Amino acid sequence: MTAADALAAAYRHGPGRVVETGPAPRPGPASGPRTPFAALAARGRFGSALTHLLTDVVTPLRWEPWNQYNDHRGHPSARAAFTVDVVLAVGSRRWLVDPVRRVVVGDGSPVPDGLVRLEPVRRRDRLAEGYGEFGDALTELEMGHVAAALVEHASRLGLRAHADGTAVVVSSWRESGRPAGPSPVRGSGFGPRGISADPRPLPVSALHAFVAAITHPPEGSPVRHDVRHRLAVRNVEGVADGWYEPAGLRLVDAGGALDQVREVFGHPPDTIDVGAMNLALVTTGDPAAAVAVDGPDGYRALLRAAGAAAQHACTAAAGAGMFCRPARSTVDGALEAAVRAPASHVLLYLLLAGRPRGTGFSYDLTPLEAR
């Protein structure tokens, strides 16, 4: 069974498929009574923390005038389409989060009393019909990003959170530790002549932070043990170039690993200069085995796990002063061969990371009270 077959089977027998009949519609405001985030924040300590969590993860955080794909949130999305909405569930009642207006939409006003569920809603229709099943895969990857972002940001705010299926359960409070303050500003790279990394060697501390995020994800994150990671390293202080297994940072193939990624990448260097990157994380998995074990949702769960691992890597990269750009524009079979993936594995995700050459002007959209 190929990846496409597995995904088709998952959507044929599982819930959530959006059948498109024309161009993707422009998302508009949700209809119904609205409760501002500020009203949730007034509901005590838990309500305030929950408001910060929703703001940090699902709402626009900055606007970059030079960027054709705005807005920017706490997680990446292909072409800034944001194919995952979030529903706030308190008991048996539910409210849709409107991220642009920073309100929740539904009858009555939520009373978050220390336990809520944040349930994702697939909006595959926000990607053009031409993406086909690839658009389904991008949506599942984003599902993983959103779940992981909710878990890691909840921990930063001093809350408990864990992925329960596709939803994230948030409760108060962790017994130890204090809120860790604002999260680092995540970015996918900046470059007027193509995205490229700083030619100076990357500090080894940045590599270690990146690896730790993959090998020691936050408690409660939707991780799986049947995804396989290989890390390409180039121009890092005191570390040989080559392919590494992240666990233990074990060198498995010396040489120009980033050159191999560059050769199979789908865009030229004046768009994204892959050969100049410091790190590239390649994640693969076995969709047929996942479907055999977990049923029709198995392959989708693999994609969500890959997205979750990528989210943690992106956050760690930002904290270490790097950009981290998710990508799927590759010759998949050649990249699978480069990382010596098992024959049954398919490419799930690719991350490109490096220290930026410069930064661009941006508008901070974070509410003043959340800074």
Side-chain angles (χ1 to χ4, degrees):
M1 179 184 289
T2 67
D5 292 337
L7 189 61
Y11 275 94
R12 188 163 56 247
H13 300 295
R17 177 84 186 238
V18 176
V19 179
E20 297 180 300
T21 58
R26 291 181 179 272
S31 60
R34 301 178 183 181
T35 301
F37 279 14
L40 294 179
R43 297 283 188 179
R45 187 182 174 198
F46 180 71
S48 176
L50 177 63
T51 300
H52 281 276
L53 177 61
L54 293 174
T55 300
D56 288 347
V57 175
V58 303
T59 76
L61 299 179
R62 73 183 188 277
W63 182 272
E64 298 172 344
W66 52 269
N67 198 318
Q68 68 182 117
Y69 297 121
N70 277 305
D71 52 47
H72 296 278
R73 307 187 187 183
H75 63 90
S77 176
R79 296 180 178 265
F82 294 103
T83 61
V84 178
D85 283 343
V86 171
V87 167
L88 169 64
V90 182
S92 62
R93 303 183 65 186
R94 284 163 172 74
W95 292 262
L96 178 65
V97 177
D98 183 332
V100 175
R101 294 156 189 83
R102 292 190 171 121
V103 299
V104 295
V105 182
D107 292 332
S109 181
V111 182
D113 58 358
L115 178 66
V116 301
R117 287 175 60 88
L118 299 176
E119 301 173 347
V121 178
R122 297 177 180 88
R123 292 302 309 269
R124 163 64 182 84
D125 55 303
R126 290 179 184 159
L127 284 171
E129 185 178 5
Y131 277 86
E133 290 179 348
F134 184 52
D136 299 330
L138 292 175
T139 300
E140 295 302 328
L141 289 166
E142 189 171 334
M143 290 272 287
H145 275 282
V146 171
L150 288 169
V151 169
E152 67 184 21
H153 283 262
S155 178
R156 183 172 291 108
L157 291 164
L159 298 170
R160 295 189 185 97
H162 69 276
D164 178 15
T166 59
V168 173
V169 179
V170 181
S171 59
S172 62
W173 295 89
R174 287 186 292 123
E175 295 179 358
S176 62
R178 295 182 177 180
S183 62
V185 178
R186 185 193 60 79
S188 296
F190 170 77
R193 297 181 180 176
I195 296 169
S196 185
D198 189 324
R200 294 173 296 177
L202 183 73
V204 69
S205 59
L207 170 62
H208 289 161
F210 192 89
V211 168
I214 301 162
T215 56
H216 296 89
E219 182 179 355
S221 186
V223 298
R224 290 175 64 103
H225 300 295
D226 52 352
V227 296
R228 179 182 187 266
H229 301 294
R230 284 294 181 267
L231 181 63
V233 174
R234 188 195 73 86
N235 196 25
V236 175
E237 292 178 347
V239 179
D241 291 358
W243 287 106
Y244 285 79
E245 181 180 339
L249 199 58
R250 183 175 67 87
L251 179 66
V252 293
D253 277 305
L258 262 299
D259 291 334
Q260 292 180 284
V261 180
R262 178 192 60 201
E263 290 171 2
V264 301
F265 195 68
H267 295 289
D270 61 356
T271 300
I272 302 177
D273 189 359
V274 173
M277 301 296 172
N278 298 109
L279 308 175
L281 181 68
V282 180
T283 302
T284 64
D286 184 339
V291 170
V293 172
D294 298 325
D297 191 55
Y299 180 51
R300 291 188 294 187
L302 275 183
L303 289 164
R304 293 194 294 267
Q311 177 65 29
H312 299 317
C314 286
T315 301
M322 293 189 291
F323 64 84
C324 187
R325 187 177 188 88
R328 276 296 307 261
S329 300
T330 67
V331 180
D332 290 8
L335 188 53
E336 292 156 12
V339 298
R340 301 191 182 187
S344 59
H345 276 222
V346 300
L347 177 68
L348 299 175
Y349 222 3
L350 168 66
L351 296 184
L352 303 169
R355 189 167 51 186
R357 287 175 175 263
T359 57
F361 175 72
S362 63
Y363 295 96
D364 186 354
L365 302 180
T366 309
L368 288 174
E369 65 273 12
R371 296 178 188 172

